[in-house]
Amino acid sequence: MAEFQANPATPAAPPELAPLNQPTWPDTEPHRWLTGLLKDDDYAYIVAPMVDQSDLPFRFLARRYSSNLCYTPMIHSRMFTTDVKYREKFMPQFDEAKHPLGGPVFHQFCGNDAETMLAAVNLLPDYCEVVDINCGCPQGIAKRGGYGAFLLEEGDKLVKIVKTLVEKSNRRVTVKVRILPTGISDSIALYTRLIDAG
């Protein structure tokens, strides 16, 4: 049996990675604010929203390990507007920006009615600048309530919610999305409508 011998030739050095393309959009474009949130960071290290988990202590822990953008847990818009105890549970979590470990926070709401969502968002303190609409939750409770991932299947209603929040809340608005059951093309068509809505 022949003995294995390593190739004596010096291996070629691995090719250098090309630098990542930096955003080239002008400062006037509406999504430029997002890169401004990250200040000098080149990348976003995001802690996604988790129901009853991504609360203030958890976000502080995540920031100790380099997260530079966090979400609140999902907040139910109707309960936030009608249930004082529910609202008080979340209010102390919003004061993160004043803390040394604080940073940009997206305040995530779920719901399926534009005016209810607007009422909930308008109860936020002024320093809460960014609102995220949850269109990702796949749980049964979201299906029964017509929010989360199931709101994506009602594109007109979702677009109305985005337009209402953009025009009347004076806050930045984002939408957490999933791929629609009908596929990529329909999903991109909806995402384009959401972008156009503000």
Side-chain angles (χ1 to χ4, degrees):
M1 177 182 276
E3 186 177 323
F4 174 79
Q5 292 185 352
N7 185 346
T10 304
E16 286 190 25
L17 295 175
L20 293 173
N21 291 330
Q22 295 299 311
T24 56
W25 54 75
D27 288 345
T28 55
E29 291 200 23
H31 53 276
R32 184 68 177 173
W33 63 270
L34 183 55
T35 58
L37 278 180
L38 302 178
K39 299 180 180 167
D40 296 327
D41 293 338
D42 292 328
Y43 301 95
Y45 300 100
I46 300 172
V47 175
M50 296 173 283
V51 177
D52 295 329
Q53 299 299 317
S54 51
D55 55 7
L56 187 60
F58 183 84
R59 296 197 303 268
F60 282 165
L61 178 65
R63 291 188 191 284
R64 286 188 62 187
Y65 293 92
S66 301
S67 169
N68 56 7
L69 198 157
C70 294
Y71 284 73
T72 64
M74 181 182 75
I75 304 167
H76 194 288
S77 59
R78 182 183 52 76
M79 292 179 65
F80 195 76
T81 57
T82 61
D83 186 331
V84 174
K85 287 187 177 180
Y86 181 85
R87 185 163 61 247
E88 288 174 348
K89 177 177 90 168
F90 288 102
M91 281 300 191
Q93 296 192 29
F94 298 150
D95 204 13
E96 182 173 338
K98 297 178 183 177
H99 193 281
L101 286 176
V105 181
F106 286 23
H107 303 81
Q108 190 190 71
F109 283 86
C110 69
N112 62 9
D113 178 76
E115 294 305 318
T116 302
M117 292 279 278
L118 178 63
V121 168
N122 283 340
L123 289 171
L124 290 173
D126 289 342
Y127 53 78
C128 299
E129 298 178 4
V130 185
V131 172
D132 181 68
I133 301 169
N134 182 332
C135 289
C137 182
Q139 297 179 356
I141 191 169
K143 184 174 185 177
R144 290 192 297 276
Y147 58 83
F150 306 95
L151 184 57
L152 287 172
E153 298 174 30
E154 298 189 59
D156 291 343
K157 183 182 284 190
L158 176 56
V159 168
K160 180 180 178 182
I161 291 171
V162 171
K163 280 185 177 177
T164 299
L165 294 183
V166 167
E167 292 172 2
K168 297 182 180 179
S169 75
N170 197 32
R171 300 178 199 270
R172 303 289 188 179
V173 178
T174 64
V175 183
K176 176 186 175 183
V177 296
R178 288 180 178 264
I179 302 295
L180 286 166
T182 52
I184 296 289
S185 295
D186 288 344
S187 300
I188 291 177
L190 176 59
Y191 305 161
T192 302
R193 291 180 66 197
L194 296 176
I195 292 169
D196 291 343

